[in-house]
Amino acid sequence: MTANYFLKEIVMEGLSPKFDSEWKDVKLYTPLQSCQSLLNEHAECVAVEAFLKMASLPFQLVERPNVEYMSPSGEAPFLKLDNILVPGFDSIVEFVGKKGVRLSAGLTNTAKADLEAHIAFIEESLRGAELYMLWLDEATYTMVTKERYGIVFSWPLCSLLPKLKRRQVRQYLTDIGWAGKTMDEVVSLADRCFKSLSSLLGQKE
């Protein structure tokens, strides 16, 4: 899902790009969008693309079937600048900030704290809901997740790797308290999240 940092920085503040000459021949590596990437991965890729375009930072989009294994952390997408690999949205935004893109304060401290609370709730709820529906809901896993995740591998990896990934995601969701929820509870949390976001955006001119 789109990262906390992305929503916080884009909604709260405006970009003032001031980049040095080192930004050249930059590539953004993503999974195959049409047949492989899952909902949460696609959202992260769209978030990074939007951020870089808003910052007026040129890049070449490169789709690869093995991005998860090329990435230093296993996160998709990742940015390649010379010999530097930067995986995941939060790390990419932080890296760009250190290279010269500065943000101007646009809200009071009180308003920022209130917005951060909204965004933290939104991100936690949507990320958990996405992973739950993709990997723990049996129908979605069987018809969508397993097929898309395993499509780039030959047998028996196309059958084995989705099972291993599902076990990994289940453990993560267990650790954050989501694995034991029912589908109704997950849908309810996602609905509250969308209503919170709608209310937040409705207050903006």
Side-chain angles (χ1 to χ4, degrees):
M1 181 53 200
T2 51
N4 185 9
Y5 194 97
F6 169 70
L7 287 172
K8 180 168 60 178
E9 300 291 26
I10 295 304
V11 174
M12 288 171 52
E13 303 177 343
L15 282 167
S16 177
K18 296 180 181 178
F19 225 89
D20 59 32
S21 59
E22 294 179 7
W23 187 272
K24 59 182 180 181
D25 299 325
V26 175
K27 294 181 174 62
L28 180 66
Y29 285 84
T30 74
L32 304 181
Q33 298 295 307
S34 63
C35 63
Q36 181 191 22
S37 67
L38 299 173
L39 177 63
N40 59 313
E41 294 173 331
H42 182 68
E44 288 286 317
C45 293
V46 170
V48 173
E49 289 183 55
F51 173 77
L52 294 177
K53 289 178 180 179
M54 292 179 72
S56 299
L57 298 174
F59 63 94
Q60 177 186 352
L61 186 65
V62 181
E63 297 185 16
R64 290 287 186 272
N66 59 337
V67 162
E68 180 180 357
Y69 302 98
M70 295 170 63
S71 170
S73 66
E75 295 178 89
F78 71 86
L79 199 70
K80 183 178 185 297
L81 175 61
D82 294 329
N83 294 323
I84 301 173
L85 302 181
V86 187
F89 185 87
D90 287 349
S91 297
I92 290 173
V93 174
E94 182 180 359
F95 174 76
V96 168
K98 290 180 178 179
K99 298 294 284 183
V101 173
R102 303 303 177 193
L103 303 177
S104 58
L107 296 174
T108 65
N109 290 336
T110 300
K112 287 182 180 181
D114 182 61
L115 187 55
E116 286 178 2
H118 276 84
I119 291 172
F121 169 69
I122 290 169
E123 184 195 41
E124 178 183 352
S125 298
L126 288 186
R127 177 171 293 174
E130 284 177 335
L131 292 176
Y132 183 99
M133 292 179 181
L134 284 169
W135 293 99
L136 298 193
D137 178 66
E138 196 63 41
T140 304
Y141 172 77
T142 301
M143 294 186 293
V144 179
T145 309
K146 182 173 67 173
E147 296 299 321
R148 290 185 70 88
Y149 189 83
I151 195 170
V152 299
F153 304 105
S154 58
W155 192 89
L157 292 180
C158 63
S159 177
L160 177 62
L161 292 180
K163 293 178 182 178
L164 294 177
K165 184 68 174 182
R166 191 184 200 190
R167 184 184 305 171
Q168 177 186 346
V169 174
R170 185 186 298 275
Q171 183 59 56
Y172 169 75
L173 291 175
T174 298
D175 292 342
I176 65 173
W178 274 77
K181 295 184 184 300
T182 65
M183 178 58 77
D184 286 343
E185 290 174 328
V186 171
V187 171
S188 177
L189 284 169
D191 184 60
R192 287 174 54 196
C193 171
F194 290 129
K195 288 179 179 177
S196 176
L197 180 59
S198 177
S199 175
L200 180 64
L201 296 177
Q203 298 172 9
K204 307 298 180 183
E205 296 183 357

